[in-house]
Amino acid sequence: MNVVQALQFDPTDPIEIARTHLWRKNPKDAIPLLEKALKKNHRTGEAHHLLGCILIEMGDGKGAVKHLQMALDVNPDNLFARLDLVRASRL
């Protein structure tokens, strides 16, 4: 996290807190925060994408594919989600 990102950090946003856990290599701590964000708004593409990436790292290809497809439903132009979907489909 750089200085600009730190200054823009919203400590009440579960996605921002989850991103911090990911940066600190604590993906399991990020999962409930991303799930909370999705309960609040199930069309949060960033939360679906991050959760899909975590599930890839945990070896859950089926769960990752589900969340990455949802991320692409929200934003079909998300190239990174599309690439991660390919990775997930190979698990």
Side-chain angles (χ1 to χ4, degrees), residues 28-83:
K28 289 184 181 180
D29 292 337
I31 293 172
L33 294 162
L34 294 169
E35 290 172 342
K36 178 180 178 181
L38 290 170
K39 283 182 184 175
K40 186 175 178 182
N41 179 1
H42 72 280
R43 294 204 37 90
T44 305
E46 184 177 9
H48 280 296
H49 186 197
L50 290 172
L51 191 51
C53 290
I54 291 169
L55 293 172
I56 288 172
E57 296 304 315
M58 296 175 71
D60 181 359
K62 184 177 179 181
V65 165
K66 173 187 159 194
H67 283 285
L68 292 165
Q69 285 177 331
M70 292 173 119
L72 288 168
D73 287 345
V74 174
N75 180 4
D77 296 328
N78 185 337
L79 177 61
F80 294 109
R82 194 166 301 282
L83 293 171

